[in-house]
């Protein structure tokens, strides 16, 4: 009897429900956290916000990590990078990067999606101020949570093959970003600590080879590895990726130790670590900024790199690879849908913010301008990408697959 009333109510609230499905919730949480950080940074609480994250806890001579901001970026974010490393290893062993035919298109797309934004950035920013060239990698990264969150809002409208493609490209993108951080954002090297880090990594590889079946020895060694890498001059978060690569796929009870660790830590990373990082890093004080600062060369270069460079590089290389027969087009996906997903890769929040802190360490003006560019480029990419995908033909044949996947998610 109440069904005629319930149906329109359910339909009206469907978009709200969509915010909380598994694909979307982590991305939506990041959006809310970023918005909260900006509100606080431009409120009477701005000084408290600054003091909380950048106030000195002790002298730098006592211990290098002497602010909460440093503990978050160099300490807590190791968990995020550890989860990234677990995802990468799983994909390389038994996932979408495990065979040449599966990994060809994602690797090509990710490479082009990093190169094109970097070139656009250097063209705009480098001509304005040579100091800005150091930030070339900022628009090269894609935020998995944000991008998958937008796809989650679209539900079965986007074919499963494209959701998988975006996830795989973002993972390869993360590999590239980690290599960039390790190679280009290492200021100095302490040979002794680097040797200790290499030795500890070797021990962890040996633990894997000799069949250590418990997780806790790997965690203890990972903490030691983080400490050594922290003092080696290489960014400490690289320790998270290296440690993850040593985690074995097997365990004593027949289940994969790697997958158990990933499933256990991924929610903590997505719903605690990354939001804390976002809140600590996304606060931009823009009340005193004029329009000329918002559209200064640095934010303009980053925003253009993310929105234009990402889609240009990825969509172009997909078209070329498919036309030349190098790779197959994602199954059941139109070119319009592929273009829409290419736009979504311009959402670069977590890794872009992280790289901006490394690129312009000690220069708060450049860091603040970089944040503006990241937020502008990410928001425009999310909105335009959503619209582009929203107006494409719906895939009714995929609706049941999508519903089954959602219902099976814990």
């Amino acid at each position: 009897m109440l069904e005629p009333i319930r149906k329109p109510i359910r339909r009206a609230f469907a978009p709200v429900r969509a915010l909380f499905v598994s694909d979307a919730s982590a991305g939506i949480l990041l959006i809310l956290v970023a918005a909260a950080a900006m509100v606080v940074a431009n409120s009477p609480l701005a000084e408290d916000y600054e003091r909380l994250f950048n106030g000195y806890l002790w002298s730098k001579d006592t211990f290098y990590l002497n602010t909460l901001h440093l503990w978050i970026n160099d300490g807590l974010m190791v968990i995020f990078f550890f989860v990234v490393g677990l995802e990468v290893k799983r994909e390389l062993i038994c996932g979408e990067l495990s065979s040449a035919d599966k990994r060809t298109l994602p690797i090509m797309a990710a490479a082009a999606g990093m190169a094109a934004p970097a070139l656009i950035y250097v063209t705009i920013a480098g001509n304005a101020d040579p100091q800005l060239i150091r930030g070339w990698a900022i628009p090269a990264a894609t935020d998995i949570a944000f991008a998958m969150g937008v796809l989650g809002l679209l539900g079965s409208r986007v074919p499963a093959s494209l959701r998988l493609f975006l996830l795989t490209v973002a993972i390869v993108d993360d590999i590239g970003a980690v290599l960039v951080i390790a190679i280009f954002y290492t200021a100095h090297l302490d040979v002794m600590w680097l040797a200790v880090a290499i030795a500890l990594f070797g021990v962890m590889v040996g633990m894997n080879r000799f069949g250590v079946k418990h997780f806790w020895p790997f965690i203890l060694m990972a903490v030691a590895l983080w400490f050594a890498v922290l003092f080696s001059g290489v960014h400490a978060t690289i320790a998270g990726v290296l440690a993850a690569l040593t985690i074995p796929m097997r365990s004593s009870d027949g289940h994969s130790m790697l997958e158990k660790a990933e499933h256990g830590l991924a929610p903590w990373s997505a719903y605690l670590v990354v939001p804390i990082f976002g809140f600590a890093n996304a606060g931009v004080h823009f009340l005193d900024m004029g329009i000329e600062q918002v559209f200064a060369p640095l934010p303009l270069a980053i925003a253009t790199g993310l929105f234009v460079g990402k889609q240009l590089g990825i969509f172009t290389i997909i078209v070329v690879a498919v036309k030349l027969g190098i790779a197959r087009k994602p199954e059941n996906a139109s070119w319009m849908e592929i273009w829409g997903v290419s736009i979504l890769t311009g959402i670069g929040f977590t890794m872009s913010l992280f790289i901006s802190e490394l690129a312009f360490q000690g220069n708060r003006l450049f860091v603040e301008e970089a944040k503006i560019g990241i937020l502008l480029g990410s928001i425009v990419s999310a909105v335009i990408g959503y619209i582009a995908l929203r107006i494409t033909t719906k895939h009714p044949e995929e609706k049941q697959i999508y519903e089954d996947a959602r219902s099976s998610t814990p």
Side-chain angles (χ1 to χ4, degrees):
M1 189 175 183
L2 294 175
E3 192 59 28
I5 300 174
R6 286 175 181 163
K7 271 191 173 181
I9 292 175
R10 280 201 301 266
R11 195 175 295 115
F13 281 93
V16 178
R17 275 187 73 247
L19 296 179
F20 300 98
V21 299
S22 59
D23 279 349
S25 52
I28 297 303
L29 178 60
L30 276 182
I31 294 172
L32 295 175
V33 164
M38 286 190 287
V39 168
V40 172
N42 293 276
S43 74
L45 296 173
E47 288 186 12
D48 295 320
Y49 174 84
E50 176 66 20
R51 195 180 304 115
L52 172 64
F53 292 112
N54 294 302
Y56 295 125
L57 301 173
W58 47 71
S59 166
K60 211 159 188 116
D61 295 332
T62 304
F63 188 57
Y64 165 67
L65 305 183
N66 66 338
T67 67
L68 185 57
H69 185 266
L70 284 173
W71 272 104
I72 292 169
N73 286 23
D74 291 32
L76 191 63
M77 281 295 283
V78 173
I79 297 173
F80 167 79
F81 280 88
F82 184 77
V83 173
V84 167
L86 293 173
E87 290 175 349
V88 168
K89 183 171 181 177
R90 175 176 49 78
E91 290 294 330
L92 287 170
I93 292 175
C94 58
E96 290 303 305
L97 300 175
S98 59
S99 61
D101 61 323
K102 287 182 177 181
R103 60 177 171 253
T104 299
L105 191 59
I107 289 176
M108 290 177 67
M114 294 186 77
L119 287 172
I120 289 174
Y121 174 92
V122 170
T123 301
I124 297 173
N127 288 332
D129 185 348
Q131 293 183 79
L132 300 179
I133 292 179
R134 186 166 168 76
W136 64 271
I138 297 172
T142 295
D143 191 289
I144 296 177
F146 262 136
M148 295 304 292
V150 175
L151 284 191
L153 295 176
L154 290 159
S156 61
R157 190 172 291 273
V158 179
S161 63
L162 272 185
R163 289 197 293 272
L164 183 59
F165 175 75
L166 176 60
L167 181 62
T168 310
V169 169
I171 289 172
V172 178
D173 194 294
D174 277 347
I175 298 174
V178 168
L179 291 174
V180 165
I181 291 169
I183 297 170
F184 295 99
Y185 295 110
T186 297
H188 65 279
L189 285 176
D190 186 305
V191 177
M192 186 194 76
W193 280 110
L194 186 62
V196 171
I198 292 172
L200 289 170
F201 178 67
V203 171
M204 294 186 74
V205 171
M207 288 164 59
N208 183 328
R209 290 289 179 89
F210 288 104
V212 174
K213 297 178 181 179
H214 299 287
F215 191 52
W216 64 265
F218 286 97
I219 294 300
L220 291 177
M221 291 299 296
V223 173
L225 179 62
W226 167 77
F227 192 83
V229 172
L230 178 67
F231 285 97
S232 72
V234 179
H235 199 272
T237 51
I238 301 300
V241 178
L242 293 176
L245 296 179
T246 68
I247 304 300
M249 289 292 291
R250 64 190 179 280
S251 66
S252 56
D253 57 5
H255 298 290
S256 167
M257 185 188 296
L258 184 145
E259 290 184 350
K260 284 171 67 177
E262 184 183 349
H263 292 158
L265 288 172
W268 290 98
S269 175
Y271 296 104
L272 182 65
V273 174
V274 175
I276 289 174
F277 169 83
F279 187 73
N281 288 273
V284 183
H285 186 74
F286 54 77
L287 289 181
D288 299 330
M289 290 183 181
I291 196 72
E292 69 283 351
Q293 192 171 354
V294 174
F295 292 100
L298 179 54
L300 182 64
I302 293 172
T304 307
L306 284 170
F307 178 62
V308 178
K310 274 290 187 180
Q311 60 173 299
L312 181 65
I314 290 177
F315 187 71
T316 301
I317 203 67
I318 293 173
V319 172
V320 171
V322 171
K323 296 298 182 184
L324 293 180
I326 299 172
R328 291 193 301 270
K329 188 171 74 167
E331 188 179 349
N332 201 27
S334 68
W335 285 114
M336 179 67 175
E337 291 166 334
I338 293 172
W339 174 61
V341 167
S342 299
I343 297 173
L344 290 184
T345 62
I347 303 173
F349 184 76
T350 306
M351 201 69 85
S352 293
L353 285 174
F354 193 84
I355 293 174
S356 69
E357 291 282 346
L358 297 178
F360 301 122
Q361 206 165 24
N363 191 324
R364 294 315 301 171
L365 174 61
F366 283 173
V367 170
E368 294 298 296
E369 288 188 351
K371 290 177 184 178
I372 293 171
I374 293 165
L375 293 169
L376 281 175
S378 298
I379 290 168
V380 172
S381 296
V383 172
I384 302 299
Y386 177 87
I387 293 172
L389 290 168
R390 187 72 179 79
I391 62 178
T392 59
T393 305
K394 192 173 182 179
H395 291 262
E397 72 280 5
E398 302 230 1
K399 187 172 183 179
Q400 189 57 50
I401 298 173
Y402 177 75
E403 291 297 329
D404 290 344
R406 278 179 53 194
S407 62
S408 64
T409 303

